[in-house]
Amino acid sequence: MRVYLLVGLIAAAVAYLMTPLARWCALRWGAITAVRDRDVHAVPTPRLGGLAMFLGVVVTIVMAGRLPFLEGVYDNPRALVGIVGGAGLVVALGVADDIWDLDWLTKLMGQVLAAGFLAWQGVQLYQLPIGGVTVSSGRMWTFLTIVIVVVAMNAVNFVDGLDGLAAGVLAIGGGAFFLYCYLLTRATSGDYASLSALVLAALVGACVGFLPHNLYPARIFMGDSGSMLLGFVLAAAAIIVTGQIDPEQVSRRQSFPAFLPILLPIAVLLLPLLDMGLAIIRRTIQGKSPFHPDRLHLHHRLLALGHSHRRAVAIMYVWTAVFAYGVGALVLFSTATVLWIFAAAVVVAVLLTIGPLRGRSHRTTPVGTA
């Protein structure tokens, strides 16, 4: 665990120190988010934070290769090349979009290219961890891998609407996913070193390092370069765990249910996926493009309830922690215990979410006269 803490600290330090440089580049290159009707920020803000997080992840992966504890992870470098190379493509695409506002089709093609490169380097699904489901069609698994990566990138992009929101959500959810990978690797291979745990530790560290610059009021946004990077790296780690861990080894221990490798990545991205799904349905019903912007995202609805900017972000953090750590707790506790804890956590989260409504009802109640 100490090695992974070191990995996270390196990523956080690099991302924190490089963010002012990314901000300078954004100002110099004109990558600035203007104040639009659908936005909640009040002043134009630079938006190349993804560059700093990318440097945090890459520098960390390069330096971690010199740690004896992680030497085995680097024996087959193809997966690392796929993750770093694909992430580089995604960040380059995001930087171009942050500067020139690319159309949705161009971005989608770039996302497919990056996901295809990841799969080409061997980071793709080969099986499902429920009953060891496998098929002979490699093309089908490649297609499914690309779809998962593209969906994850766009889901994070959809939720990136408030200062500190996407980075915090991914840091919290990624932390839960890291703990699961750490324990799972030990249980199935007898060794704590794993590629997925390394990548997630770097991802969480980069998010934590970027957050001080991105919390409300933000001095810089992560932009598409950051949101797509986070979705890409998380999806890559999820694919490594979901499609390449032997399901028979997972199911040997009752504390590691076979369905967790599928369920936990979904829990981590549940809010972004829910937000994206609702947006697509809402806009399609209205006869608009699924990528047409509006002010009806989950975070916008929290603001409409009466929450402040910071409180709305904190509530999204709470819900992310409830789902991610609730599912991850199945590793350590019985299902009944987890359900009781999860139910209590949901009640607390609901009360926090509807807080302004409860206060409003008290304020609007007429006061009787004597």
Side-chain angles (χ1 to χ4, degrees):
M1 179 63 77
R2 287 177 295 179
V3 173
Y4 288 122
L5 289 175
L6 176 61
V7 167
L9 287 173
I10 293 173
V14 174
Y16 179 80
L17 294 174
M18 290 296 102
T19 298
L21 176 61
R23 187 177 188 278
W24 179 84
C25 291
L27 292 172
R28 187 174 181 86
W29 298 341
I32 299 175
T33 303
V35 180
R36 300 163 296 187
D37 291 339
R38 69 177 186 270
D39 294 323
V40 296
H41 61 283
V43 296
T45 307
R47 55 177 179 180
L48 283 184
L51 276 178
M53 290 190 288
F54 175 68
L55 290 174
V57 171
V58 172
V59 170
T60 300
I61 290 177
V62 172
M63 294 183 66
R66 300 185 177 275
L67 299 174
F69 176 81
L70 294 170
E71 283 182 350
V73 175
Y74 292 78
D75 288 342
N76 183 5
R78 283 194 65 199
L80 283 170
V81 170
I83 294 172
V84 174
L89 290 173
V90 164
V91 171
L93 175 68
V95 169
D97 182 60
D98 290 336
I99 296 174
W100 295 300
D101 285 326
L102 304 177
D103 62 273
W104 68 270
L105 182 58
T106 301
K107 288 195 291 185
L108 181 60
M109 292 174 61
Q111 292 171 351
V112 170
L113 177 64
F117 179 79
L118 181 72
W120 180 52
Q121 291 298 317
V123 182
Q124 64 174 317
L125 293 171
Y126 297 109
Q127 60 186 7
L128 294 178
I130 299 180
V133 178
T134 58
V135 295
S136 59
S137 175
R139 292 181 180 179
M140 191 278 284
W141 287 119
T142 300
F143 173 77
L144 185 59
T145 299
I146 293 174
V147 169
I148 290 173
V149 175
V150 171
V151 168
M153 285 191 283
N154 284 286
V156 178
N157 190 30
F158 269 74
V159 83
D160 182 28
L162 295 179
D163 298 357
L165 180 56
V169 165
L170 268 293
I172 294 170
F177 200 6
F178 162 77
L179 290 175
Y180 169 75
C181 293
Y182 177 77
L183 295 173
L184 176 63
T185 303
R186 177 63 176 178
T188 56
S189 66
D191 185 7
Y192 283 117
S194 74
L195 176 59
S196 55
L198 168 63
V199 170
L200 288 167
L203 175 68
V204 172
C207 291
V208 172
F210 176 68
L211 265 175
H213 302 278
N214 187 233
L215 290 174
Y216 182 82
R219 295 187 294 275
I220 184 173
F221 296 152
M222 67 172 60
D224 279 10
S225 58
S227 60
M228 290 194 296
L229 169 69
L230 298 184
F232 179 89
V233 175
L234 183 67
I239 288 168
I240 293 170
V241 175
T242 302
Q244 299 178 341
I245 291 290
D246 186 354
E248 294 183 359
Q249 290 183 336
V250 174
S251 60
R252 285 174 190 167
R253 288 189 48 157
Q254 190 174 10
S255 59
F256 286 89
F259 58 81
L260 271 190
I262 292 178
L263 188 58
L264 189 51
I266 296 175
V268 171
L269 286 176
L270 183 61
L271 288 183
L273 289 172
L274 178 63
D275 195 21
M276 182 179 71
L278 291 175
I280 291 175
I281 294 172
R282 178 176 65 248
R283 294 165 186 175
T284 302
I285 292 175
Q286 295 174 351
K288 300 177 181 178
S289 166
F291 299 94
H292 183 80
D294 58 32
R295 288 181 58 90
L296 295 174
H297 290 285
L298 295 178
H299 48 271
H300 289 131
R301 295 179 185 275
L302 288 174
L303 294 175
L305 283 176
H307 292 290
S308 66
H309 192 120
R310 292 179 179 176
R311 186 176 297 176
V313 171
I315 290 172
M316 296 285 278
Y317 288 175
V318 169
W319 279 109
T320 300
V322 167
F323 287 113
Y325 285 93
V327 173
L330 290 169
V331 173
L332 301 174
F333 305 103
S334 66
T335 303
T337 301
V338 171
L339 288 176
W340 279 108
I341 297 174
F342 179 75
V346 168
V347 170
V348 172
V350 169
L351 292 175
L352 291 173
T353 302
I354 65 175
L357 291 179
R358 292 184 294 118
R360 191 178 305 166
S361 64
H362 290 307
R363 290 192 298 269
T364 56
T365 300
V367 179
T369 57

